[in-house]
Amino acid sequence: MPVRQYVYFALTSRLITPQEITAALGIEPDETRVHNPRRLPVDPERPFSQSWKVVRREPGLRVDEQLAHVLDRLEPRTERIAELIRRFDTGDEEQEQGLQAVLEVVRYFGDGEPGTEPGPHADEERPNLFGWWLDRRAIAFLAATGAVLDVDEYDLTD
């Protein structure tokens, strides 16, 4: 069964912009996104927010391999990320936090034809993309930054 997957780390906020996050961390994001940009004034039910993301979408890599690439970029700034989150955390569990951190894994099963996705393992046996894990490095990063892990998996088979 074909698998398409990617990993990203995102900082999402109603209080701080992606440009301010970039300046604070000294890391350029791969993507930024504005959520609900046409809802002005801001609807408290659907708050306006912005996201700053470091993403790895290289086909043919296991989730843990993609995650390692994301961590290679972020790990040197772990303390800055943690401090930024502490600074903008509203402390109100009922409300959306001022700055949220998430490590997101997105996987699509049955999307495309098996074996058609090129990747870094082209000359060797393709890895099993179904299995993946979080190593101590990833767990330590999640703990240090207070980020949550979110895994979304979608079955696209007929």
Side-chain angles (χ1 to χ4, degrees):
M1 172 182 294
V3 177
R4 184 171 51 95
Q5 55 197 11
Y6 62 96
V7 171
Y8 66 85
F9 175 80
L11 293 170
T12 303
S13 180
R14 293 182 295 138
L15 303 177
I16 183 173
T17 67
Q19 295 79 9
E20 292 169 315
I21 293 171
T22 299
L25 300 181
I27 301 172
E28 286 293 326
D30 295 315
E31 298 175 6
T32 61
R33 182 171 180 211
V34 176
H35 308 275
N36 301 326
R38 297 183 189 177
R39 289 188 160 286
L40 296 175
V42 176
D43 178 353
E45 297 288 312
R46 299 176 81 78
F48 174 86
S49 66
Q50 300 178 70
S51 295
W52 177 100
K53 295 180 181 180
V54 171
V55 183
R56 186 62 175 210
R57 285 192 170 87
E58 187 172 345
L61 292 179
R62 293 185 318 264
V63 167
D64 48 283
E65 292 173 311
Q66 292 177 338
L67 177 56
H69 288 282
V70 170
L71 288 178
D72 287 345
R73 289 192 50 206
L74 295 173
E75 212 169 30
R77 301 294 200 278
T78 299
E79 188 50 44
R80 286 186 186 181
I81 294 167
E83 175 55 35
L84 195 63
I85 292 167
R86 282 190 296 270
R87 195 165 92 209
F88 286 95
D89 184 359
T90 61
D92 186 348
E93 294 296 323
E94 297 297 316
Q95 297 288 325
E96 181 179 1
Q97 294 180 344
L99 182 63
Q100 294 180 323
V102 63
L103 179 62
E104 185 81 36
V105 176
V106 182
R107 306 177 77 201
Y108 298 92
F109 298 97
D111 186 26
E113 293 298 316
T116 60
E117 198 175 80
H121 304 287
D123 294 338
E124 53 191 75
E125 186 176 321
R126 291 191 184 274
N128 179 353
L129 298 180
F130 292 108
W132 61 278
W133 58 87
L134 293 178
D135 60 14
R136 289 180 180 149
R137 176 184 179 202
I139 293 168
F141 178 80
L142 290 170
T145 60
V148 298
L149 173 65
D150 184 27
V151 179
D152 293 341
E153 297 185 327
Y154 303 96
D155 180 359
L156 301 178
T157 57
D158 292 334

